[in-house]
Amino acid sequence: MAELEKLMGVSADDIEKIMGVEAGDIETIMGVEVPSGPAWQGARGILWGRAESGTVGDDTILYRTIGAASGNAADFGDMDAAGSTGASISSGTRGIHAGGRYEHSSGNWYGTDKIEYITIGSTGNGTDFGNLNESGYYGQGGATNGTLGTVVGGIWTPQNFIFSITIASAGDSTDVGNLTVARGDLAGISSATMSIHCGGNKWGFADEIDYTSWGSLGDASDFGDLTITGTRRTGGEDSSRGIVFGAYTNNTPNTTDNIDYFSTASTGSASDFGNTLSLAYHSSWGSNLGGTHGGGAMCNGVRMDVAGGATEGASGYAETAKIQYITIQTTGDATDYSDDIDDWGGDGASHSVSGCSGN
């Protein structure tokens, strides 16, 4: 896609609009090769579950075309097992949601061991896939190479699990190893060779990045460090770069606007990418604004859209309905879309959202 940008002098996101053709036809018309994104990504973004105003366990699944300049997220169907803060992964055609938390009739929060799936190119309700090896935890991270998926970590007390599934075959997960540091509310990053796990809550905020290789899934090894310690991270990627978006930290305000990036081709520490949106919900916050954490990431190999999340300042806390985006192979601050999430009802403001993509 970089070759096309040079030829046309515009960003990749505008090429389809300018030419009036589908992205898949550009290579034929221009005679320039258009590289495909990772096998586990596609043009349709999926958002699973959410928390709003202190509650958890919404069962609505939404979808949106990644990179679309307008258009809110639309209803896809309902989850088989309502939950938020779970792991979401994709094969490119099948979307998976695993774990998360739900609100019991007693008013208490519980972690679920449920795994469910959808066919991304259609709409409809989630279908039971199987169960994780452990229940009672939430805040898992997820990664995939398009064939296998990992569901890692968890919180209630910090957990070090690494579970694997074969995405095309329904069934229970398999315990394949342990993280280097037990933690939950971490970001999962996918690459063709590694399942990568970033930050989180270890009864203290984490900056660790660790990984396990798809060819020999087992105990994780050290990858590097993030630029800050934090939890409730959102992860995304293209074929060569991982993104860790937003965080909850010990700083004031607690929600940071940090975005990190690193190469997924080899191990190493992260670098600063830019900043999330800073969203003020209370005039008393003044200039001490929070960023966003806990949004759902949807990536198409070029752009990363992040929907929802929480934002905090010195005197307040609130969820957001904003959808913001970055172009993965650049650096810089996130940009605000003109449209917000609205199909969750109310104002759509949500956090603890999980996202994936496919066709």
Side-chain angles (χ1 to χ4, degrees):
M1 192 63 78
E3 293 182 38
L4 285 172
E5 291 187 22
K6 290 178 184 178
L7 285 170
M8 298 191 69
V10 296
S11 70
D13 298 314
D14 293 329
I15 292 173
E16 183 175 347
K17 180 169 62 177
I18 291 171
M19 295 187 66
V21 297
E22 296 294 326
D25 295 328
I26 294 174
E27 180 177 343
T28 301
I29 294 171
M30 296 286 294
V32 178
E33 182 179 356
V34 180
S36 59
W40 56 89
Q41 294 181 355
R44 174 176 280 191
I46 299 293
L47 299 171
W48 305 78
R50 64 162 183 160
E52 179 189 21
S53 301
T55 65
V56 297
D58 187 284
D59 65 358
T60 304
I61 310 169
L62 303 181
Y63 72 99
R64 186 180 189 278
T65 300
I66 300 169
S70 62
N72 297 321
D75 182 61
F76 185 99
D78 294 330
M79 297 175 68
D80 182 62
S84 62
T85 71
S88 181
I89 56 179
S90 168
S91 65
T93 56
R94 175 174 281 190
I96 299 282
H97 186 275
R101 63 180 179 175
Y102 68 97
E103 188 169 17
H104 192 268
S105 58
S106 66
N108 294 320
W109 294 349
Y110 292 92
T112 178
D113 63 356
K114 296 292 188 182
I115 312 172
E116 62 184 273
Y117 73 95
I118 57 171
T119 300
I120 294 174
S122 63
T123 56
N125 296 333
T127 300
D128 180 61
F129 184 97
N131 299 94
L132 297 172
N133 297 64
E134 298 284 347
S135 63
Y137 307 104
Y138 54 89
Q140 295 91 347
T144 179
N145 66 356
T147 301
L148 299 174
T150 52
V151 180
V152 304
I155 198 70
W156 185 253
T157 57
Q159 302 299 311
N160 65 0
F161 309 128
I162 304 176
F163 302 144
S164 73
I165 59 171
T166 300
I167 297 174
S169 303
D172 296 342
S173 67
T174 300
D175 188 344
V176 296
N178 297 316
L179 299 170
T180 58
V181 178
R183 59 202 196 274
D185 286 335
L186 66 169
I189 303 289
S190 302
S191 85
T193 57
M194 292 180 281
S195 168
I196 306 171
H197 330 113
C198 306
N201 183 346
K202 57 182 182 181
W203 283 164
F205 298 150
D207 64 359
E208 289 90 349
I209 311 173
D210 59 16
Y211 75 97
T212 185
S213 299
W214 294 115
S216 55
L217 287 173
D219 289 345
S221 300
D222 180 62
F223 186 100
D225 297 306
L226 298 169
T227 63
I228 65 168
T229 60
T231 187
R232 304 176 193 169
R233 313 302 300 263
T234 296
E237 71 284 317
D238 63 8
S239 58
S240 64
R241 176 178 282 189
I243 301 289
V244 183
F245 192 97
Y248 185 90
T249 73
N250 284 321
N251 300 326
T252 301
N254 291 117
T255 303
T256 178
D257 59 7
N258 164 261
I259 308 173
D260 275 356
Y261 77 97
F262 54 84
S263 170
T264 56
S266 60
T267 59
S269 293
S271 299
D272 182 64
F273 183 99
N275 300 320
T276 75
L277 295 180
S278 290
L279 305 171
Y281 280 79
H282 304 282
S283 58
S284 62
W285 292 9
S287 60
N288 193 13
L289 306 180
T292 49
H293 67 76
M298 304 168 284
C299 303
N300 65 3
V302 175
R303 179 173 282 190
M304 176 173 168
D305 289 0
V306 179
T311 185
E312 299 187 49
S315 304
Y317 167 95
E319 295 86 19
T320 178
K322 292 291 185 184
I323 306 173
Q324 52 190 304
Y325 71 88
I326 58 170
T327 300
I328 297 171
Q329 282 297 318
T330 66
T331 56
D333 297 343
T335 301
D336 187 7
Y337 278 118
S338 59
D339 291 290
D340 297 342
I341 304 167
D342 67 354
D343 269 39
W344 265 315
D347 61 5
S350 308
H351 70 92
S352 301
V353 184
S354 299
C356 66
S357 70
N359 294 302

